[in-house]
Amino acid sequence: MKTRIKELRARYDLTQENLAKRVGVRRETILFLEKGKYNPSLNLAHKVAKTLRTTIDELFIFEND
Amino acid sequence: MKSEVIGRWWIAITTAVVVVAFIAFWAALGWEGRALLASATLGIIIATFSAFLWVYRGKIQDKKAGFPFKDERTKYIEGRAAHYAVMISAWFMVGLIWYNFLGVDFGLPELKVIPALAASILVMVGLYIGLRWYFSRKENIR
């Protein structure tokens, strides 16, 4: 799984810490999410997508799609 | 003061306290094998408590900075670590029971309640801490 979190974070000038605080998770969770190494819950995926003003399917790219 | 500097001081002070407590306890109980085991257990308890305080201090700092104590990933990691720690410890305890059943026949010394209980607790706590650390570093845990 790949994500566009880093790209969108840069667009809205957000640090990993800022994003983590906004969605209510720890920094490590954002780090692992960004690397595509953690599969978030639907709730967290929704919160991250909403914060980055996008949709879940735009944010997460599955390699077999 | 930087976190790494505090960390070094923390480790140095804890080590000194553990060594002093170990020697003092050992001297108070007498210089025998059983006293050594009791002193080592006291040292482990102090070191574990200090490690707990260190982790808690970090979490308090994170909380003040606006991060939650736990999020869905940490809850998942802790749950998984606890599951494996309980399962492995249960097998360890079964092993201890079988040691007592069969050990007598092979001439091995019989296991007493307190060392068996202490070993089981240490295995369970140690496994939980170790597995939590391992899963937190492991990449995709789902």
Side-chain angles (χ1 to χ4, degrees):
Chain A
M1 181 184 76
K2 286 180 183 170
T3 75
R4 292 178 59 224
I5 295 176
K6 196 172 181 179
E7 175 199 330
L8 293 169
R9 212 168 40 74
R11 185 186 295 174
Y12 297 116
D13 200 22
L14 282 170
T15 63
Q16 284 182 338
E17 293 196 358
N18 290 338
L19 181 59
K21 277 182 196 170
R22 286 196 188 189
V23 298
V25 294
R26 297 181 65 78
R27 277 166 292 194
E28 307 83 62
T29 303
I30 295 295
L31 181 76
F32 280 94
L33 258 181
E34 211 166 273
K35 289 200 289 181
K37 308 279 176 152
Y38 174 62
N39 296 339
S41 66
L42 191 56
N43 191 31
L44 178 58
H46 173 71
K47 277 185 189 170
V48 175
K50 201 175 166 189
T51 307
L52 297 173
R53 292 168 227 170
T54 185
T55 57
I56 292 174
D57 57 336
E58 287 285 324
L59 195 59
F60 299 97
I61 303 144
F62 290 90
E63 273 141 11
N64 52 358
D65 279 357
Chain B
M1 204 187 292
K2 278 186 180 177
S3 186
E4 302 96 66
V5 178
I6 297 171
R8 271 186 228 128
W9 272 105
W10 196 290
I11 291 168
I13 292 167
T14 303
T15 309
V17 170
V18 166
V19 170
V20 169
F22 174 73
I23 293 168
F25 204 57
W26 198 12
L29 291 178
W31 307 97
E32 291 165 16
R34 207 168 153 221
L36 176 70
L37 183 69
S39 309
T41 310
L42 179 73
I44 291 168
I45 290 168
I46 294 171
T48 309
F49 185 67
S50 175
F52 168 77
L53 284 181
W54 174 257
V55 171
Y56 194 72
R57 177 188 162 275
K59 294 212 172 198
I60 291 285
Q61 281 178 339
D62 280 356
K63 184 85 179 166
K64 280 182 186 165
F67 298 103
F69 259 129
K70 291 178 182 181
D71 63 8
E72 62 172 48
R73 187 171 181 273
T74 50
K75 280 179 193 162
Y76 183 76
I77 287 167
E78 286 178 0
R80 200 166 179 194
H83 171 80
Y84 282 109
V86 168
M87 294 305 288
I88 297 168
S89 303
W91 282 109
F92 176 76
M93 286 182 241
V94 169
L96 291 181
I97 292 168
W98 277 100
Y99 170 87
N100 253 15
F101 281 156
L102 302 174
V104 178
D105 296 335
F106 290 103
L108 294 170
E110 196 183 344
L111 202 57
K112 303 283 182 212
V113 175
I114 297 298
L117 204 59
S120 302
I121 292 168
L122 285 177
V123 164
M124 196 185 286
V125 173
L127 270 172
Y128 175 70
I129 293 169
L131 286 169
R132 201 174 61 172
W133 174 81
Y134 172 71
F135 288 138
S136 70
R137 292 180 150 255
K138 205 177 165 200
E139 296 187 330
N140 209 345
I141 53 163
R142 281 196 191 194

